[in-house]
Amino acid sequence: AYQEIVQRVAARREEREAFLSAIRTQLGEALKAAGIKAEVVGRPKHFYSIYMKLKSGRDFESIYDLFGLRIITHTRNDGYRALGVVHDLFTPVAERFKDYIATPKSNLYRSLHTTGVGPEGHFIEIQGRTPERHRTNEYGIAAHWKYKEGRVTARQRDEQIQGRGKVAE
């Protein structure tokens, strides 16, 4: 199943990267026009997430969120303002909005999550957070799985949380 997912994702890679680049540019320009300083980056969908969607009965062709966007803002308020810009650009999917900033997960994960309907009806997953929350989510207690799998050492994790080190993926 893993090899099939890898092959299918690779087959549509150029198309997805072009789509993601266009959306990232459009969103970046809209955020700038709104006076919001932010970094908009693409993020690949993990193969395990794709596998779980397929396992739940979804057809591979219906999975349009193979890439998502992450918006890194300097302040919490800018994150919520950025969410408004996202919802102005892309019709939000109501059941796909989560505010983990106001109501963090038990592992301290904090981020805004939304899905919007973009061009040609493609779903776009978007997360928003501050740099500090990004570090905690990616390298702190919220990312404990990386430490348990041996992908980072405890020292690397602690240095990353404190902003002193880099962790190679």
Side-chain angles (χ1 to χ4, degrees):
Y2 173 82
Q3 289 302 321
E4 181 182 350
I5 291 168
V6 169
Q7 289 172 358
R8 294 184 92 173
V9 168
R12 294 176 49 189
R13 185 179 187 143
E14 278 186 36
E15 174 188 331
R16 287 182 294 104
E17 286 181 0
F19 176 77
L20 179 61
S21 178
I23 296 299
R24 190 173 51 222
T25 299
Q26 180 184 11
L27 182 54
E29 290 172 358
L31 291 167
K32 186 175 181 179
I36 301 169
K37 292 182 182 180
E39 178 184 7
V40 180
V41 295
R43 57 176 185 79
K45 189 73 155 172
H46 293 282
F47 292 138
Y48 182 75
S49 297
I50 296 167
Y51 170 74
M52 291 306 290
K53 287 183 179 191
L54 293 172
K55 189 176 174 182
S56 73
R58 292 199 38 202
D59 179 35
F60 185 84
E61 302 307 318
S62 72
I63 301 173
Y64 295 108
D65 57 346
L66 296 175
F67 274 97
L69 294 174
R70 186 168 286 145
I71 303 170
I72 309 291
T73 60
H74 294 285
T75 67
R76 175 183 171 151
N77 287 343
D78 280 348
Y80 282 106
R81 290 179 54 221
L83 177 67
V85 170
V86 168
H87 286 170
D88 282 345
L89 282 176
F90 312 116
T91 304
V93 179
E95 63 275 5
R96 299 279 302 159
F97 172 73
K98 303 276 192 290
D99 185 346
Y100 297 119
I101 300 291
T103 56
K105 290 185 174 186
S106 60
N107 67 355
L108 304 181
Y109 178 88
R110 298 182 82 176
S111 185
L112 294 170
H113 288 212
T114 192
T115 299
V117 181
E120 302 174 31
H122 291 302
F123 293 106
I124 305 162
E125 280 191 350
I126 300 170
Q127 298 176 354
R129 55 180 75 152
T130 62
E132 176 183 87
R133 288 192 175 97
H134 180 68
R135 280 191 304 275
T136 300
N137 293 347
E138 294 296 311
Y139 309 109
I141 190 169
H144 187 65
W145 61 272
K146 289 182 183 180
Y147 172 67
K148 291 292 279 184
E149 288 181 356
R151 291 181 61 184
V152 298
T153 66
R155 181 178 177 168
Q156 286 173 318
R157 181 196 64 214
D158 293 343
E159 286 177 352
Q160 185 62 33
I161 292 168
Q162 297 168 12
R164 296 190 322 247
K166 290 188 176 183
V167 176
E169 286 293 317

